[in-house]
Amino acid sequence: MLPIVAIVGRPNVGKSTLFNRLTRSRDAIVASVPGITRDRHYGRGRLGGRPYLVVDTGGFEPVAREGLLHEMARQARQAVDEADAVLFVVDARAGLAPQDRTIANELRRSGRRVFLVVNKAEGMDPAIAGADFHALGLGAPLPISAEHGANVAALMELALAGLPPAREAPRAADRHPKIAVLGRPNVGKSTLVNALLGEERVIVSDEPGTTRDSIYIEFERGQRRYTLIDTAGLRRRWRVAEPAEKFSVVKALQALEDANVAILVLDARQDIAEQDAHVAGYVLEAGRALVVAVNKWERLPEEERELVKRALARKLDFLGFARLHFISALTGQGMDPLMKSVDEAYAAAMARLPTPRLTRALAQAVAQQPPPRAGVIRPRLRYAHQGGVNPPRIVVHGNALERVPEAYRRYLERFFRAAFKLQGTPLRVEFRTGFNPYADRTGRRR
Protein backbone atom coordinates (compact mmCIF):
# COMPACT_ATOMS: atom_id res chain seq x y z
CA MET A 1 0.00 0.00 0.00
CA LEU A 2 1.13 3.54 -0.72
CA PRO A 3 1.36 6.01 2.19
CA ILE A 4 -1.34 8.70 2.08
CA VAL A 5 -0.58 12.37 2.72
CA ALA A 6 -3.55 14.75 3.19
CA ILE A 7 -3.33 18.52 2.63
CA VAL A 8 -5.71 20.58 4.79
CA GLY A 9 -6.10 24.20 5.80
CA ARG A 10 -8.39 27.18 5.53
CA PRO A 11 -9.33 28.52 2.07
CA ASN A 12 -6.80 30.17 -0.24
CA VAL A 13 -3.60 29.25 1.60
CA GLY A 14 -2.13 27.37 -1.39
CA LYS A 15 -3.24 23.78 -0.81
CA SER A 16 -3.96 23.08 -4.49
CA THR A 17 -0.69 24.72 -5.53
CA LEU A 18 1.14 22.36 -3.18
CA PHE A 19 -0.88 19.41 -4.53
CA ASN A 20 0.15 20.26 -8.09
CA ARG A 21 3.76 20.65 -7.00
CA LEU A 22 3.79 17.22 -5.30
CA THR A 23 2.04 15.44 -8.17
CA ARG A 24 4.00 17.36 -10.83
CA SER A 25 0.75 18.11 -12.60
CA ARG A 26 -1.94 20.71 -13.06
CA ASP A 27 -4.69 18.37 -11.93
CA ALA A 28 -6.04 20.73 -9.25
CA ILE A 29 -7.48 24.11 -10.24
CA VAL A 30 -5.47 27.02 -8.85
CA ALA A 31 -6.93 30.54 -8.66
CA SER A 32 -6.85 33.51 -6.34
CA VAL A 33 -10.55 32.96 -5.58
CA PRO A 34 -11.05 30.95 -2.35
CA GLY A 35 -13.21 27.84 -2.32
CA ILE A 36 -12.27 26.38 -5.72
CA THR A 37 -11.51 22.90 -4.38
CA ARG A 38 -14.52 21.22 -2.75
CA ASP A 39 -14.21 17.43 -3.02
CA ARG A 40 -11.27 15.23 -2.06
CA HIS A 41 -8.83 15.08 -4.96
CA TYR A 42 -6.29 12.25 -5.16
CA GLY A 43 -2.98 12.24 -6.99
CA ARG A 44 0.27 10.29 -7.08
CA GLY A 45 3.50 11.85 -5.86
CA ARG A 46 7.07 10.57 -5.77
CA LEU A 47 10.04 11.49 -3.61
CA GLY A 48 13.10 10.03 -5.32
CA GLY A 49 12.15 6.41 -5.85
CA ARG A 50 9.44 6.45 -3.18
CA PRO A 51 5.82 6.83 -4.34
CA TYR A 52 2.93 8.06 -2.22
CA LEU A 53 -0.66 9.26 -2.58
CA VAL A 54 -1.52 12.89 -1.87
CA VAL A 55 -5.05 14.18 -1.17
CA ASP A 56 -6.12 17.77 -1.82
CA THR A 57 -9.12 19.05 0.16
CA GLY A 58 -11.37 22.09 0.18
CA GLY A 59 -11.13 24.95 2.65
CA PHE A 60 -11.59 23.43 6.11
CA GLU A 61 -14.43 25.10 8.06
CA PRO A 62 -14.72 22.93 11.23
CA VAL A 63 -17.46 25.09 12.78
CA ALA A 64 -19.85 24.82 9.79
CA ARG A 65 -22.98 22.87 10.75
CA GLU A 66 -24.89 22.76 7.46
CA GLY A 67 -24.75 23.56 3.77
CA LEU A 68 -21.84 23.35 1.37
CA LEU A 69 -19.20 24.42 3.91
CA HIS A 70 -20.29 21.59 6.20
CA GLU A 71 -19.98 19.08 3.33
CA MET A 72 -16.52 20.42 2.45
CA ALA A 73 -15.45 20.05 6.10
CA ARG A 74 -16.79 16.48 6.12
CA GLN A 75 -14.71 15.66 3.05
CA ALA A 76 -11.61 17.17 4.72
CA ARG A 77 -12.20 15.14 7.91
CA GLN A 78 -12.50 11.94 5.88
CA ALA A 79 -9.21 12.74 4.13
CA VAL A 80 -7.56 13.18 7.56
CA ASP A 81 -9.01 9.86 8.74
CA GLU A 82 -7.54 8.08 5.70
CA ALA A 83 -4.12 9.75 5.94
CA ASP A 84 -0.84 8.52 7.37
CA ALA A 85 0.45 12.11 7.56
CA VAL A 86 -1.34 15.48 7.41
CA LEU A 87 0.13 18.67 5.96
CA PHE A 88 -1.61 21.57 7.71
CA VAL A 89 -1.03 24.55 5.40
CA VAL A 90 -1.10 28.14 6.71
CA ASP A 91 -0.33 31.46 5.03
CA ALA A 92 2.94 33.19 6.00
CA ARG A 93 1.86 36.51 4.51
CA ALA A 94 -1.59 36.58 6.12
CA GLY A 95 -0.24 35.49 9.50
CA LEU A 96 -2.02 33.48 12.18
CA ALA A 97 -5.81 33.50 11.80
CA PRO A 98 -8.47 32.43 14.34
CA GLN A 99 -9.58 29.70 11.94
CA ASP A 100 -6.05 28.26 12.00
CA ARG A 101 -6.38 27.75 15.76
CA THR A 102 -9.71 25.94 15.33
CA ILE A 103 -8.28 23.63 12.65
CA ALA A 104 -5.17 22.95 14.77
CA ASN A 105 -7.31 21.90 17.73
CA GLU A 106 -9.27 19.45 15.57
CA LEU A 107 -6.14 18.01 13.97
CA ARG A 108 -4.55 17.54 17.39
CA ARG A 109 -7.55 15.42 18.45
CA SER A 110 -7.34 13.30 15.27
CA GLY A 111 -4.22 11.48 16.47
CA ARG A 112 -2.56 11.76 13.04
CA ARG A 113 1.02 12.92 12.40
CA VAL A 114 0.56 16.61 11.59
CA PHE A 115 3.16 18.83 9.93
CA LEU A 116 2.66 22.58 10.14
CA VAL A 117 3.45 23.97 6.68
CA VAL A 118 3.92 27.74 6.39
CA ASN A 119 3.33 28.47 2.70
CA LYS A 120 4.09 31.62 0.65
CA ALA A 121 7.33 32.15 2.59
CA GLU A 122 9.41 33.02 -0.46
CA GLY A 123 11.60 36.06 0.15
CA MET A 124 11.00 35.96 3.93
CA ASP A 125 13.36 35.10 6.74
CA PRO A 126 12.34 31.53 7.81
CA ALA A 127 12.33 32.46 11.50
CA ILE A 128 10.06 35.45 10.89
CA ALA A 129 7.75 33.53 8.50
CA GLY A 130 7.01 30.87 11.12
CA ALA A 131 7.16 32.98 14.29
CA ASP A 132 3.40 33.46 14.80
CA PHE A 133 2.57 29.80 14.22
CA HIS A 134 4.49 28.36 17.18
CA ALA A 135 1.37 29.29 19.17
CA LEU A 136 -0.56 26.45 17.48
CA GLY A 137 1.46 23.87 19.43
CA LEU A 138 1.98 21.55 16.44
CA GLY A 139 5.76 21.52 16.46
CA ALA A 140 8.23 23.60 14.50
CA PRO A 141 6.67 25.45 11.54
CA LEU A 142 8.13 24.44 8.16
CA PRO A 143 8.36 27.45 5.80
CA ILE A 144 7.98 26.58 2.09
CA SER A 145 6.95 28.09 -1.21
CA ALA A 146 4.58 25.73 -3.03
CA GLU A 147 4.57 28.00 -6.06
CA HIS A 148 8.35 28.03 -6.45
CA GLY A 149 9.08 24.62 -4.91
CA ALA A 150 11.36 25.94 -2.15
CA ASN A 151 11.82 23.40 0.72
CA VAL A 152 9.02 21.15 -0.60
CA ALA A 153 11.32 18.13 -0.99
CA ALA A 154 12.62 18.59 2.56
CA LEU A 155 9.02 18.78 3.80
CA MET A 156 8.13 15.47 2.16
CA GLU A 157 11.24 13.78 3.53
CA LEU A 158 10.02 14.66 7.02
CA ALA A 159 6.41 13.66 6.28
CA LEU A 160 7.37 10.24 4.89
CA ALA A 161 10.07 9.49 7.48
CA GLY A 162 9.05 6.67 9.80
CA LEU A 163 6.26 5.40 7.52
CA PRO A 164 6.49 1.81 6.28
CA PRO A 165 8.17 1.38 2.89
CA ALA A 166 5.65 1.75 0.08
CA ARG A 167 4.73 -1.34 -1.86
CA GLU A 168 2.95 -0.54 -5.09
CA ALA A 169 0.41 -3.08 -6.20
CA PRO A 170 1.36 -4.46 -9.61
CA ARG A 171 -0.67 -2.80 -12.35
CA ALA A 172 -2.70 -4.94 -14.66
CA ALA A 173 -1.35 -5.09 -18.18
CA ASP A 174 -4.79 -4.58 -19.69
CA ARG A 175 -6.32 -1.15 -19.83
CA HIS A 176 -9.50 -0.37 -17.96
CA PRO A 177 -12.33 2.02 -18.93
CA LYS A 178 -12.15 5.68 -17.94
CA ILE A 179 -15.67 7.07 -17.70
CA ALA A 180 -16.34 10.83 -17.73
CA VAL A 181 -19.73 11.83 -16.27
CA LEU A 182 -20.88 14.96 -18.12
CA GLY A 183 -23.91 17.21 -18.29
CA ARG A 184 -25.14 20.69 -17.59
CA PRO A 185 -25.23 21.87 -13.97
CA ASN A 186 -27.51 20.22 -11.40
CA VAL A 187 -28.67 17.22 -13.44
CA GLY A 188 -27.40 14.70 -10.85
CA LYS A 189 -23.89 13.83 -12.04
CA SER A 190 -22.40 13.57 -8.55
CA THR A 191 -25.43 11.60 -7.32
CA LEU A 192 -24.86 9.15 -10.18
CA VAL A 193 -21.18 8.80 -9.27
CA ASN A 194 -22.08 8.08 -5.64
CA ALA A 195 -24.71 5.54 -6.76
CA LEU A 196 -22.17 3.66 -8.86
CA LEU A 197 -19.61 3.71 -6.04
CA GLY A 198 -22.08 2.79 -3.32
CA GLU A 199 -20.86 5.59 -1.03
CA GLU A 200 -21.05 9.37 -0.68
CA ARG A 201 -17.68 9.95 -2.32
CA VAL A 202 -18.42 13.40 -3.80
CA ILE A 203 -20.52 16.28 -2.48
CA VAL A 204 -24.16 16.39 -3.59
CA SER A 205 -26.10 19.63 -3.25
CA ASP A 206 -29.14 21.29 -4.81
CA GLU A 207 -26.94 24.31 -5.47
CA PRO A 208 -25.82 24.29 -9.14
CA GLY A 209 -22.07 24.23 -9.67
CA THR A 210 -21.19 22.31 -6.50
CA THR A 211 -18.59 20.27 -8.40
CA ARG A 212 -15.89 22.53 -9.81
CA ASP A 213 -12.93 20.26 -10.36
CA SER A 214 -12.74 16.93 -12.22
CA ILE A 215 -12.52 14.17 -9.60
CA TYR A 216 -10.87 10.87 -10.65
CA ILE A 217 -12.05 7.85 -8.66
CA GLU A 218 -10.95 4.25 -9.20
CA PHE A 219 -13.40 1.50 -8.29
CA GLU A 220 -14.39 -2.06 -9.10
CA ARG A 221 -17.82 -3.30 -10.15
CA GLY A 222 -18.57 -6.87 -11.10
CA GLN A 223 -14.88 -7.77 -10.72
CA ARG A 224 -13.93 -5.17 -13.34
CA ARG A 225 -11.82 -2.10 -12.71
CA TYR A 226 -12.95 1.38 -13.79
CA THR A 227 -11.98 5.01 -13.32
CA LEU A 228 -14.92 7.39 -12.85
CA ILE A 229 -14.44 11.09 -13.55
CA ASP A 230 -16.98 13.42 -11.95
CA THR A 231 -16.91 16.75 -13.80
CA ALA A 232 -18.26 20.25 -13.38
CA GLY A 233 -21.50 21.18 -15.13
CA LEU A 234 -20.85 22.29 -18.70
CA ARG A 235 -22.43 25.45 -20.04
CA ARG A 236 -22.04 27.08 -23.41
CA ARG A 237 -18.79 29.03 -23.43
CA TRP A 238 -20.41 32.44 -23.81
CA ARG A 239 -22.52 31.83 -20.69
CA VAL A 240 -19.51 31.10 -18.47
CA ALA A 241 -18.70 34.38 -16.75
CA GLU A 242 -17.19 33.56 -13.33
CA PRO A 243 -13.39 32.95 -13.61
CA ALA A 244 -13.55 29.84 -11.41
CA GLU A 245 -16.27 28.38 -13.60
CA LYS A 246 -14.15 28.97 -16.71
CA PHE A 247 -11.40 26.88 -15.12
CA SER A 248 -13.96 24.20 -14.26
CA VAL A 249 -15.18 23.91 -17.84
CA VAL A 250 -11.60 23.57 -19.08
CA LYS A 251 -10.97 20.77 -16.55
CA ALA A 252 -14.18 19.01 -17.63
CA LEU A 253 -13.13 19.12 -21.27
CA GLN A 254 -9.66 17.84 -20.36
CA ALA A 255 -11.31 14.98 -18.46
CA LEU A 256 -13.36 14.18 -21.57
CA GLU A 257 -10.18 14.00 -23.66
CA ASP A 258 -8.68 11.65 -21.06
CA ALA A 259 -11.73 9.36 -20.98
CA ASN A 260 -12.73 6.41 -23.14
CA VAL A 261 -16.48 6.63 -22.50
CA ALA A 262 -18.72 9.56 -21.59
CA ILE A 263 -22.00 9.29 -19.72
CA LEU A 264 -24.16 12.25 -20.73
CA VAL A 265 -26.58 12.91 -17.87
CA LEU A 266 -29.90 14.63 -18.64
CA ASP A 267 -32.66 15.73 -16.29
CA ALA A 268 -35.95 14.05 -17.21
CA ARG A 269 -37.91 16.90 -15.58
CA GLN A 270 -36.33 19.60 -17.74
CA ASP A 271 -36.82 20.19 -21.44
CA ILE A 272 -34.04 18.86 -23.63
CA ALA A 273 -32.39 22.20 -24.26
CA GLU A 274 -29.88 23.45 -26.78
CA GLN A 275 -27.38 23.31 -23.93
CA ASP A 276 -27.74 19.50 -23.71
CA ALA A 277 -27.11 19.18 -27.44
CA HIS A 278 -24.10 21.46 -27.04
CA VAL A 279 -22.61 19.22 -24.34
CA ALA A 280 -23.21 16.22 -26.63
CA GLY A 281 -21.37 18.16 -29.32
CA TYR A 282 -18.31 18.31 -27.05
CA VAL A 283 -18.39 14.51 -26.84
CA LEU A 284 -18.64 14.12 -30.61
CA GLU A 285 -15.80 16.59 -31.20
CA ALA A 286 -13.62 14.55 -28.85
CA GLY A 287 -14.71 11.33 -30.60
CA ARG A 288 -15.55 9.57 -27.36
CA ALA A 289 -17.89 6.62 -26.89
CA LEU A 290 -21.17 7.71 -25.35
CA VAL A 291 -24.03 6.46 -23.19
CA VAL A 292 -26.98 8.78 -22.47
CA ALA A 293 -28.53 8.59 -18.97
CA VAL A 294 -31.87 10.34 -18.45
CA ASN A 295 -31.84 10.91 -14.69
CA LYS A 296 -34.62 11.60 -12.16
CA TRP A 297 -36.97 9.35 -14.13
CA GLU A 298 -38.77 8.28 -10.94
CA ARG A 299 -39.98 11.87 -10.43
CA LEU A 300 -41.65 12.11 -13.82
CA PRO A 301 -45.41 11.36 -14.02
CA GLU A 302 -46.27 8.32 -16.10
CA GLU A 303 -48.33 10.34 -18.59
CA GLU A 304 -45.35 12.60 -19.41
CA ARG A 305 -42.77 9.89 -20.04
CA GLU A 306 -43.78 9.13 -23.63
CA LEU A 307 -43.59 12.84 -24.49
CA VAL A 308 -40.06 13.01 -23.08
CA LYS A 309 -39.00 9.97 -25.12
CA ARG A 310 -40.31 11.58 -28.31
CA ALA A 311 -38.52 14.82 -27.52
CA LEU A 312 -35.27 12.93 -26.97
CA ALA A 313 -35.59 11.06 -30.25
CA ARG A 314 -36.22 14.34 -32.09
CA LYS A 315 -33.63 16.61 -30.50
CA LEU A 316 -30.82 14.09 -30.05
CA ASP A 317 -31.23 12.19 -33.30
CA PHE A 318 -27.54 12.81 -34.13
CA LEU A 319 -26.68 10.52 -31.19
CA GLY A 320 -28.32 7.48 -32.77
CA PHE A 321 -25.20 5.37 -32.16
CA ALA A 322 -25.51 5.76 -28.34
CA ARG A 323 -27.57 3.66 -25.94
CA LEU A 324 -30.25 5.55 -24.00
CA HIS A 325 -31.15 4.67 -20.38
CA PHE A 326 -33.82 6.02 -18.06
CA ILE A 327 -32.42 5.93 -14.54
CA SER A 328 -32.75 7.19 -10.99
CA ALA A 329 -29.36 7.93 -9.46
CA LEU A 330 -31.09 8.68 -6.15
CA THR A 331 -32.65 5.21 -5.82
CA GLY A 332 -30.07 3.26 -7.86
CA GLN A 333 -32.61 2.28 -10.54
CA GLY A 334 -30.99 1.29 -13.85
CA MET A 335 -27.35 1.17 -12.73
CA ASP A 336 -26.63 -2.36 -13.99
CA PRO A 337 -28.00 -1.83 -17.55
CA LEU A 338 -26.18 1.52 -17.67
CA MET A 339 -22.82 -0.06 -16.85
CA LYS A 340 -23.48 -2.88 -19.31
CA SER A 341 -23.84 -0.25 -22.04
CA VAL A 342 -20.66 1.46 -20.82
CA ASP A 343 -18.79 -1.84 -21.21
CA GLU A 344 -20.29 -2.30 -24.68
CA ALA A 345 -19.34 1.24 -25.74
CA TYR A 346 -15.78 0.81 -24.39
CA ALA A 347 -15.35 -2.47 -26.27
CA ALA A 348 -16.55 -0.79 -29.48
CA ALA A 349 -14.28 2.23 -29.01
CA MET A 350 -11.20 0.03 -28.48
CA ALA A 351 -12.10 -2.65 -31.07
CA ARG A 352 -9.39 -3.98 -33.36
CA LEU A 353 -10.64 -4.41 -36.93
CA PRO A 354 -8.57 -6.71 -39.19
CA THR A 355 -7.70 -5.29 -42.61
CA PRO A 356 -9.08 -8.30 -44.60
CA ARG A 357 -12.46 -8.02 -42.87
CA LEU A 358 -12.55 -4.26 -43.37
CA THR A 359 -11.74 -4.61 -47.06
CA ARG A 360 -14.44 -7.26 -47.53
CA ALA A 361 -16.97 -5.05 -45.72
CA LEU A 362 -15.96 -2.11 -47.95
CA ALA A 363 -16.53 -4.23 -51.05
CA GLN A 364 -19.98 -5.23 -49.78
CA ALA A 365 -20.86 -1.59 -49.08
CA VAL A 366 -19.77 -0.50 -52.56
CA ALA A 367 -21.64 -3.38 -54.20
CA GLN A 368 -24.79 -2.46 -52.29
CA GLN A 369 -24.49 1.27 -53.10
CA PRO A 370 -21.62 2.57 -55.31
CA PRO A 371 -20.39 6.12 -54.78
CA PRO A 372 -22.05 8.64 -57.12
CA ARG A 373 -20.26 9.92 -60.20
CA ALA A 374 -18.58 13.30 -60.11
CA GLY A 375 -18.93 14.39 -63.74
CA VAL A 376 -17.36 11.67 -65.87
CA ILE A 377 -15.36 10.26 -62.94
CA ARG A 378 -16.60 7.71 -60.44
CA PRO A 379 -14.46 7.37 -57.31
CA ARG A 380 -13.01 3.89 -56.83
CA LEU A 381 -12.73 2.51 -53.27
CA ARG A 382 -10.12 -0.27 -53.28
CA TYR A 383 -9.29 -1.35 -49.72
CA ALA A 384 -9.55 -0.23 -46.08
CA HIS A 385 -7.52 -0.59 -42.89
CA GLN A 386 -7.83 0.63 -39.31
CA GLY A 387 -6.04 3.88 -38.50
CA GLY A 388 -6.69 4.13 -34.75
CA VAL A 389 -8.99 3.53 -31.80
CA ASN A 390 -10.97 5.64 -29.32
CA PRO A 391 -12.72 6.40 -31.65
CA PRO A 392 -12.22 3.70 -34.28
CA ARG A 393 -10.77 5.27 -37.41
CA ILE A 394 -11.08 3.51 -40.78
CA VAL A 395 -8.87 4.65 -43.65
CA VAL A 396 -10.17 3.92 -47.16
CA HIS A 397 -7.72 3.94 -50.09
CA GLY A 398 -8.60 4.35 -53.76
CA ASN A 399 -8.76 6.78 -56.66
CA ALA A 400 -10.50 10.16 -56.90
CA LEU A 401 -11.69 9.85 -53.31
CA GLU A 402 -11.60 13.63 -52.86
CA ARG A 403 -14.80 13.60 -54.97
CA VAL A 404 -16.71 11.34 -52.55
CA PRO A 405 -19.61 13.38 -51.08
CA GLU A 406 -20.16 13.73 -47.34
CA ALA A 407 -23.43 11.77 -47.57
CA TYR A 408 -21.55 8.73 -48.86
CA ARG A 409 -19.04 9.00 -46.03
CA ARG A 410 -21.94 8.86 -43.54
CA TYR A 411 -23.33 5.85 -45.41
CA LEU A 412 -20.00 4.04 -44.96
CA GLU A 413 -19.92 4.93 -41.26
CA ARG A 414 -23.37 3.38 -40.76
CA PHE A 415 -22.41 0.31 -42.81
CA PHE A 416 -19.16 -0.33 -40.89
CA ARG A 417 -20.88 0.24 -37.54
CA ALA A 418 -23.54 -2.36 -38.39
CA ALA A 419 -21.05 -4.82 -39.89
CA PHE A 420 -18.74 -4.78 -36.85
CA LYS A 421 -21.41 -4.10 -34.18
CA LEU A 422 -19.76 -0.88 -33.00
CA GLN A 423 -22.61 0.27 -30.75
CA GLY A 424 -21.96 3.28 -28.58
CA THR A 425 -18.97 4.86 -30.29
CA PRO A 426 -18.53 7.46 -33.03
CA LEU A 427 -16.71 6.22 -36.10
CA ARG A 428 -14.31 8.13 -38.33
CA VAL A 429 -13.94 7.27 -42.02
CA GLU A 430 -11.03 8.91 -43.85
CA PHE A 431 -10.26 8.81 -47.57
CA ARG A 432 -6.78 8.66 -49.07
CA THR A 433 -6.34 8.95 -52.81
CA GLY A 434 -3.47 7.09 -54.41
CA PHE A 435 -0.80 8.93 -56.42
CA ASN A 436 -1.70 9.36 -60.09
CA PRO A 437 1.51 9.31 -62.20
CA TYR A 438 -0.41 10.62 -65.24
CA ALA A 439 -1.49 13.84 -63.59
CA ASP A 440 0.68 16.96 -63.83
CA ARG A 441 1.09 19.47 -61.00
CA THR A 442 -2.11 21.30 -61.94
CA GLY A 443 -4.13 18.11 -61.57
CA ARG A 444 -4.83 17.82 -65.32
CA ARG A 445 -4.19 14.59 -67.22
CA ARG A 446 -1.34 14.57 -69.72
Side-chain angles (χ1 to χ4, degrees):
M1 297 292 290
L2 297 180
I4 300 175
V5 178
I7 304 173
V8 300
R10 59 188 175 85
N12 212 30
V13 294
K15 299 184 297 299
S16 293
T17 304
L18 179 57
F19 176 89
N20 287 344
R21 173 68 60 179
L22 295 177
T23 58
R24 301 178 186 180
S25 71
R26 293 185 176 180
D27 287 347
I29 299 174
V30 176
S32 58
V33 181
I36 297 296
T37 303
R38 296 183 173 182
D39 296 293
R40 302 195 311 282
H41 195 173
Y42 291 79
R44 182 181 291 260
R46 184 176 292 274
L47 180 66
R50 186 175 188 183
Y52 58 90
L53 291 179
V54 57
V55 189
D56 189 19
T57 64
F60 198 2
E61 301 276 1
V63 297
R65 293 291 178 264
E66 59 183 12
L68 189 57
L69 293 179
H70 171 71
E71 290 297 321
M72 292 166 63
R74 186 173 63 82
Q75 292 278 328
R77 288 189 181 97
Q78 190 161 342
V80 171
D81 289 342
E82 295 173 347
D84 299 297
V86 178
L87 305 183
F88 174 27
V89 183
V90 294
D91 189 334
R93 301 191 180 274
L96 182 62
Q99 190 176 348
D100 292 328
R101 295 180 183 274
T102 306
I103 296 172
N105 290 335
E106 179 146 345
L107 292 178
R108 194 178 294 108
R109 291 192 297 268
S110 71
R112 293 293 183 268
R113 298 170 68 237
V114 179
F115 296 86
L116 181 57
V117 182
V118 184
N119 192 27
K120 306 181 186 179
E122 60 273 16
M124 300 176 65
D125 183 282
I128 296 175
D132 288 348
F133 300 100
H134 285 278
L136 296 177
L138 292 175
L142 305 170
I144 70 163
S145 171
E147 184 173 359
H148 300 287
N151 296 327
V152 172
L155 165 67
M156 293 313 299
E157 287 179 1
L158 287 173
L160 296 176
L163 295 179
R167 293 184 301 172
E168 289 192 80
R171 295 192 176 191
D174 59 323
R175 300 179 61 184
H176 65 277
K178 290 184 179 179
I179 308 164
V181 182
L182 302 171
R184 51 179 166 150
N186 211 31
V187 294
K189 299 183 297 298
S190 295
T191 306
L192 174 59
V193 169
N194 288 341
L196 291 173
L197 296 175
E199 63 168 314
E200 291 188 17
R201 173 60 181 79
V202 290
I203 296 173
V204 176
S205 172
D206 291 334
E207 177 185 338
T210 298
T211 301
R212 289 189 172 181
D213 216 337
S214 297
I215 310 299
Y216 285 65
I217 309 162
E218 294 196 8
F219 78 110
E220 290 187 3
R221 185 182 180 93
Q223 297 183 336
R224 184 168 189 182
R225 188 162 153 247
Y226 301 89
T227 297
L228 268 180
I229 313 174
D230 187 21
T231 66
L234 287 173
R235 306 177 189 268
R236 295 189 63 177
R237 286 190 178 95
W238 64 269
R239 296 187 63 182
V240 178
E242 184 184 347
E245 192 172 358
K246 290 182 180 179
F247 285 119
S248 299
V249 171
V250 170
K251 298 300 290 186
L253 297 180
Q254 288 175 340
L256 176 61
E257 292 291 339
D258 195 29
N260 310 115
V261 183
I263 299 178
L264 174 60
V265 184
L266 308 176
D267 189 334
R269 302 174 304 168
Q270 301 177 8
D271 291 336
I272 306 303
E274 181 183 357
Q275 189 175 340
D276 294 311
H278 202 74
V279 174
Y282 284 128
V283 180
L284 290 181
E285 287 175 15
R288 294 299 173 257
L290 177 66
V291 179
V292 180
V294 184
N295 192 26
K296 307 179 185 180
W297 193 244
E298 83 287 357
R299 303 182 185 180
L300 199 67
E302 193 69 35
E303 60 273 14
E304 295 182 18
R305 294 186 176 185
E306 191 60 36
L307 296 176
V308 170
K309 291 179 180 180
R310 292 177 185 173
L312 284 167
R314 185 177 69 256
K315 296 182 179 180
L316 299 180
D317 61 331
F318 62 97
L319 300 179
F321 64 88
R323 297 285 191 196
L324 184 67
H325 291 271
F326 301 93
I327 69 166
S328 169
L330 189 63
T331 65
Q333 171 190 339
M335 295 299 106
D336 288 340
L338 177 69
M339 290 304 295
K340 183 178 179 180
S341 291
V342 166
D343 290 338
E344 178 186 45
Y346 175 76
M350 308 303 289
R352 299 292 177 176
L353 311 175
T355 297
R357 288 186 59 196
L358 278 173
T359 301
R360 286 196 297 270
L362 176 64
Q364 293 171 3
V366 172
Q368 181 175 307
Q369 183 176 325
R373 288 184 178 274
V376 297
I377 300 174
R378 184 189 295 276
R380 299 192 65 182
L381 286 66
R382 297 187 179 277
Y383 71 95
H385 67 87
Q386 187 171 8
V389 296
N390 196 35
R393 186 161 56 91
I394 297 173
V395 182
V396 177
H397 295 260
N399 297 337
L401 299 189
E402 70 278 0
R403 300 174 182 264
V404 175
E406 186 61 28
Y408 196 78
R409 184 196 305 270
R410 293 195 295 270
Y411 159 71
L412 288 179
E413 289 177 0
R414 292 192 299 271
F415 191 94
F416 284 129
R417 178 174 288 110
F420 291 94
K421 297 180 173 58
L422 301 177
Q423 181 69 41
T425 181
L427 186 65
R428 303 283 192 258
V429 174
E430 298 179 6
F431 296 121
R432 293 185 186 172
T433 299
F435 173 69
N436 183 356
Y438 298 101
D440 61 20
R441 293 183 178 180
T442 63
R444 295 174 296 183
R445 294 182 181 275
R446 293 176 179 174

